[in-house]
């Protein structure tokens, strides 16, 4: 990598750490440390909400999905705007007026301490592991693509993030998120511009998109109703509403964002910013992946973007087979490039018959390229024994490091780091808040001074930073990373959502009903996953419904003394 | 230690639209924007995939 690109990355990291440390001057109490004294403007909180949701997994994995599979993943977010409206009239005013530090704190006021402890523990387990995955995803990809040491890369992400989160608290997290969103959006926009400018002479954007569209990559909406499919209109709109309600309403890493806002209205506005912008932004990121696909129609890509096992294969018994596949890939690429050019030329003539034939030839050549790539993936898996091998997450980083001009490489790598750090920081801050407020202060030292809790909060943030970075080094090969994180969340979010539905909407619900309902909800989700092919996006619906059903049944069977009277 | 305080009522209102200013128009705008965005994505898909 060029020294200028290194300079940009170092400048970015220095800027984030310096500003974070500067913010520590304003966090002289635990309310300031975790909630910024409820003083932050809505737009900063709104950008923080978006930055927290958009991890490096989103940036790297989603562009890879755009390249390999197209834009249908955008449907995953269709339920988000509706969920944000529901939260704006339910949980946001409720949490804000309750003056809680954590979402789980309310569960003790409404039910009992064991329900609060269980919910807090579930959050600590799921989010503690997830933040490790959030660090490992970009660390693994960047270490391979850039040739960096994996431990160094994980530390380069984990240490600065832990430092500024530990010293600066939520103020540092939020204002770093604001800068990081600027870097992310700026980086993606720059990549899109370069991809458009780099189209071959005489090939327009519309013509290139028609070629991509022929492969189905621009299909954004699938109206089929299939519970086993994650990316359909109905899965996104119905299943997605429950997923987003659980994530934004019950996950402390998001609840804590809007608790820092100046007022209930500011909290609402901060969430509604995502309601307006999330789908267009996600579509832009997916389109970037599609444009990378278009770019590689005319410029020969590597046969496999993830070179992890390449040297092993070239030195092994099946090296000749791999070389033969490379030759086939080169031939297939040239044939596809010619077919793409022919399709574009013929489309201009307006001859429908010739256009259909050219399109058919292009699709055949595209299938040939895909076959050779699939053969290469099978070979890698067979030789290495790595059955999870995939190169989807390596597409965009490879494009960045090999095709972008000096300066932009540094900016885009900084954008990937920014996406990772923004999520990690918010999650560390939330893990610390839950550890301290729901466990340490509640069960171990209830009467200590504010200064003491502030000190413990910083130590806890450091602990979670070290834990997450350490776990990241073990979470290197977990398959499709973006789905792993969503799957982990889906086990808990729906059930947690069910408990909050019981708490707020069901006056008869009792503490025992909520506690056992929560456990039953997770058991039902586990059962559904083990015995059915239902997509994980529906687990949240299943979990929430199971908790409400079991909790309500138990509450009716054994009502609390107060409600029985 | 009893952490039950008077800060939050035991049974809050489920729908709470109270605030400094009305948000009804904003919610309608969110829904309208989603309809426009999804329609745009569908038309985009139809135009380039056809």
């Amino acid at each position: 990598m060029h020294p200028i690109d290194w300079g940009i990355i170092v400048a970015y990291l220095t800027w984030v750490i310096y500003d974070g440390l500067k913010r520590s001057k304003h966090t002289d109490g635990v309310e300031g440390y975790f909630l910024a004294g409820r003083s932050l403007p809505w737009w900063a909180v709104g950008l923080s909400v978006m930055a927290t949701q958009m991890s490096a997994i989103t940036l790297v994995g989603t562009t890879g999905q755009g390249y390999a599979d197209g834009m249908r993943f955008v449907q995953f977010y269709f339920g988000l705007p509706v969920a944000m409206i529901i939260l704006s009239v339910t949980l946001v005013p409720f949490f804000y007026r309750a003056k809680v530090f954590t979402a789980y704190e309310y569960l003790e006021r409404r039910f009992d301490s064991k329900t609060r402890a269980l919910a807090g523990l579930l959050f600590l387990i799921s989010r503690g592991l997830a933040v490790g995955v959030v660090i490992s995803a970009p660390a693994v990809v960047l270490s391979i693509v850039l040739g960096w040491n994996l431990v160094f890369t994980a530390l380069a992400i984990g240490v600065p993030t832990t430092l500024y989160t530990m010293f600066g608290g939520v103020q540092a997290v939020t204002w770093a998120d604001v800068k990081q969103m600027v870097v992310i959006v700026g980086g993606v926009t720059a990549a899109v511009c370069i991809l458009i400018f780099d189209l071959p002479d005489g090939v327009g954007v519309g013509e290139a998109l028609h070629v991509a569209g022929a492969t189905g990559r621009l299909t954004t909406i699938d109206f089929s109703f299939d519970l086993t499919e994650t990316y359909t209109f109905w899965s996104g709109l119905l299943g997605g509403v429950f997923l987003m309600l659980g994530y934004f309403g019950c996950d402390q890493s998001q609840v804590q964002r809007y608790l820092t806002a100046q007022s209930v209205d500011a909290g609402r506005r901060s969430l509604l910013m995502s309601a307006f912008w999330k789908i267009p932004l996600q579509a832009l990121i997916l389109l970037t992946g599609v444009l990378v696909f278009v770019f590689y129609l005319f410029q020969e890509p590597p046969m496999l973007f993830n070179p992890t096992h390449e040297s092993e294969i070239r030195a092994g018994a099946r090296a000749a087979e791999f070389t033969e596949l490379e030759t086939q890939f080169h031939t297939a690429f040239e044939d596809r490039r010619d077919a793409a050019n022919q399709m574009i030329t013929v489309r201009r003539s307006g001859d429908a018959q010739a256009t259909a034939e050219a399109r058919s030839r292009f699709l055949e050549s595209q299938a040939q390229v895909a076959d050779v790539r699939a053969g290469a993936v099978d070979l890698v898996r067979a030789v290495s024994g790595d059955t999870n091998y995939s190169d989807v997450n390596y597409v965009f980083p490879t494009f960045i490091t090999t095709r972008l001009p000096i300066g932009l490489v540094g900016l885009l790598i900084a954008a990937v780091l920014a996406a990772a750090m923004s999520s990690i920081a918010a999650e560390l801050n939330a893990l610390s808040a839950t550890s301290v407020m729901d466990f340490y202060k509640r069960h171990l030292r209830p009467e200590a001074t504010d200064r003491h809790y502030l000190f413990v909060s910083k130590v806890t943030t450091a602990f979670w930073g070290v834990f997450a970075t350490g776990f990241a080094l073990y979470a290197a090969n977990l398959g499709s990373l973006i789905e792993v994180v969503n799957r982990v969340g889906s086990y808990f979010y729906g059930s947690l959502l069910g408990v909050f539905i019981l708490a707020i909407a069901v006056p008869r619900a009792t503490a025992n009903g909520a506690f056992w309902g929560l456990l039953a909800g997770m058991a039902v989700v586990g059962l559904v996953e083990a015995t059915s092919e239902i997509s994980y996006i529906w687990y949240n619906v299943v979990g929430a419904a199971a908790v409400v059903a079991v909790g309500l049944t138990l509450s009716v069977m054994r009502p609390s003394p107060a409600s029985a009277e | 230690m009893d952490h039950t305080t008077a800060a939050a009522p035991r049974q809050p209102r489920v729908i709470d639209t109270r605030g400094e200013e009305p948000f009804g128009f904003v919610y309608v705008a969110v829904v309208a924007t989603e309809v426009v965005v999804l329609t745009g994505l569908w038309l985009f898909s139809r135009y380039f995939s056809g």
Side-chain angles (χ1 to χ4, degrees):
Chain A
M1 204 162 62
H2 195 277
I4 291 176
D5 295 316
W6 272 108
I8 289 171
I9 293 169
V10 170
Y12 160 73
L13 290 174
T14 309
W15 178 41
V16 170
I17 295 173
Y18 169 75
D19 192 64
L21 296 179
K22 207 171 66 176
R23 304 272 170 198
S24 65
K25 292 174 188 167
H26 306 290
T27 52
D28 50 358
V30 78
E31 183 161 8
Y33 189 74
F34 286 133
L35 300 180
R38 303 174 197 270
S39 63
L40 296 177
W42 68 269
W43 57 269
V45 178
L47 288 172
S48 183
V49 165
M50 294 183 76
T52 300
Q53 191 185 17
M54 183 185 291
S55 67
I57 299 171
T58 316
L59 191 57
V60 169
T62 305
T63 44
Q65 280 195 315
Y67 175 90
D69 191 41
M71 294 184 67
R72 66 195 188 105
F73 176 62
V74 74
Q75 296 168 108
F76 186 81
Y77 296 93
F78 283 0
L80 186 145
V82 177
M84 292 310 201
I85 293 174
I86 295 171
L87 290 172
S88 291
V89 297
T90 55
L91 285 177
V92 174
F94 171 66
F95 283 143
Y96 201 89
R97 294 189 213 288
K99 299 288 180 196
V100 291
F101 277 82
T102 73
Y104 320 116
E105 200 177 333
Y106 171 71
L107 293 178
E108 179 166 2
R109 298 184 189 180
R110 173 66 177 85
F111 296 126
D112 60 5
S113 63
K114 71 176 187 295
T115 307
R116 172 186 184 181
L118 179 59
L121 187 65
L122 290 175
F123 169 73
L124 291 181
I125 293 171
S126 63
R127 191 46 69 188
L129 296 178
V131 72
V133 176
V134 172
I135 294 175
S136 83
V140 170
V141 174
L142 291 180
S143 67
I144 290 170
V145 172
L146 296 168
W148 295 353
N149 176 281
L150 177 61
V151 176
F152 166 79
T153 314
L155 291 176
I157 296 168
V159 172
T161 314
T162 304
L163 276 178
Y164 78 74
T165 308
M166 177 183 164
F167 288 108
V170 78
Q171 294 244 23
V173 172
T174 304
W175 291 112
D177 283 353
V178 171
K179 298 184 199 77
Q180 285 157 349
M181 273 306 285
V182 172
V183 172
I184 293 166
V185 175
V188 171
T189 307
V192 169
C193 292
I194 292 291
L195 283 161
I196 290 171
F197 288 133
D198 275 359
L199 285 172
D201 288 342
V203 176
V205 180
E207 291 171 325
L209 288 177
H210 271 294
V211 178
T215 68
R217 280 176 171 73
L218 295 180
T219 300
T220 52
I221 296 182
D222 172 3
F223 284 111
S224 64
F225 187 85
D226 183 349
L227 291 175
T228 64
E229 278 289 330
T230 305
Y231 308 133
T232 69
F233 179 83
W234 300 111
S235 293
L237 197 63
L238 302 177
V241 165
F242 279 79
L243 176 66
M244 300 303 168
L245 284 174
Y247 175 57
F248 288 100
C250 309
D251 188 310
Q252 178 64 16
S253 66
Q254 283 293 359
V255 172
Q256 203 170 332
R257 303 303 100 221
Y258 51 80
L259 288 180
T260 62
Q262 289 165 338
S263 64
V264 174
D265 283 359
R268 286 176 174 137
R269 278 197 202 96
S270 68
L271 280 188
L272 293 173
M273 179 189 275
S274 282
F276 282 112
W277 290 106
K278 183 63 187 177
I279 296 174
L281 183 60
Q282 207 61 38
L284 176 70
I285 294 172
L286 283 163
L287 184 63
T288 307
V290 174
L291 288 172
V292 172
F293 169 78
V294 169
F295 175 86
Y296 282 128
L297 287 176
F298 303 103
Q299 307 283 332
E300 186 167 353
M303 182 169 68
L304 295 174
F305 288 90
N306 177 356
T308 311
H309 304 293
E310 206 170 304
S311 55
E312 183 189 348
I313 294 167
R314 289 191 192 284
R318 300 179 72 177
E321 209 176 317
F322 192 73
T323 308
E324 172 59 23
L325 280 170
E326 285 184 312
T327 307
Q328 287 177 19
F329 181 77
H330 178 70
T331 308
F333 160 74
E334 290 195 328
D335 187 41
R336 185 181 68 174
R337 182 182 58 196
D338 293 344
N341 279 321
Q342 185 193 16
M343 186 178 157
I344 289 167
T345 308
V346 170
R347 264 188 60 83
R348 286 179 194 150
S349 70
D351 182 340
Q353 175 71 22
T355 301
E357 286 170 8
R359 178 187 165 103
S360 177
R361 187 196 153 202
F362 169 72
L363 290 177
E364 281 172 22
S365 64
Q366 166 60 22
Q368 181 63 25
V369 169
D371 281 350
V372 178
R373 260 176 58 77
V377 169
D378 288 344
L379 181 61
V380 171
R381 287 177 177 167
V383 172
S384 66
D386 180 1
T387 52
N388 287 327
Y389 175 87
S390 164
D391 68 347
V392 170
N393 293 326
Y394 294 77
V395 172
F396 193 50
T398 302
F399 169 77
I400 291 170
T401 52
T402 58
R403 303 290 183 167
L404 288 185
I406 293 168
L408 271 184
V409 176
L411 176 67
L412 265 294
I413 297 293
V416 174
L417 293 175
M421 293 166 82
S422 58
S423 300
I424 296 161
E427 288 162 5
L428 293 181
N429 194 236
L431 286 166
S432 175
T434 303
S435 304
V436 174
M437 305 310 290
D438 292 324
F439 291 96
Y440 184 80
K441 185 177 180 182
R442 173 66 185 85
H443 296 288
L444 297 177
R445 290 284 300 275
E447 304 292 349
T449 63
D450 195 55
R451 188 185 171 89
H452 174 79
Y453 291 129
L454 179 61
F455 172 74
V456 173
S457 302
K458 290 180 179 178
V459 171
T460 313
T461 304
F463 163 78
W464 280 112
V466 171
F467 172 84
T469 309
F471 181 72
L473 297 173
Y474 290 97
N477 291 309
L478 290 175
S480 180
L481 292 164
I482 192 164
E483 292 208 0
V484 168
V485 172
N486 286 327
R487 272 177 197 276
V488 168
S490 292
Y491 257 84
F492 302 99
Y493 289 149
S495 302
L496 283 176
L497 179 64
V499 171
F500 279 98
I501 292 172
L502 282 176
I504 295 173
V506 184
R508 298 183 68 168
T510 62
N512 275 336
F515 182 81
W516 293 108
L518 179 52
L519 290 175
M522 287 184 298
V524 169
V525 172
L527 194 67
V528 167
E529 190 189 27
T531 59
S532 76
E533 298 293 316
I534 290 177
S535 164
Y536 69 90
I537 199 170
W538 293 100
Y539 292 172
N540 303 280
V541 184
V542 172
V547 172
V548 171
V550 173
L552 192 55
T553 305
L554 290 175
S555 302
V556 170
M557 286 169 62
R558 294 192 63 185
S560 65
S563 37
E565 284 168 6
Chain B
M1 182 183 170
D2 184 9
H3 272 240
T4 303
T5 69
R10 280 184 66 81
Q11 191 55 51
R13 55 172 77 184
V14 179
I15 305 292
D16 184 351
T17 56
R18 292 171 297 165
E20 292 147 18
E21 54 189 86
F23 265 68
F25 175 76
V26 184
Y27 300 143
V28 172
V30 167
V31 173
T33 303
E34 178 162 24
V35 170
V36 169
V37 169
L38 298 198
T39 306
L41 283 172
W42 182 68
L43 291 173
F44 174 81
S45 173
R46 296 262 302 176
Y47 180 73
F48 285 112
S49 300

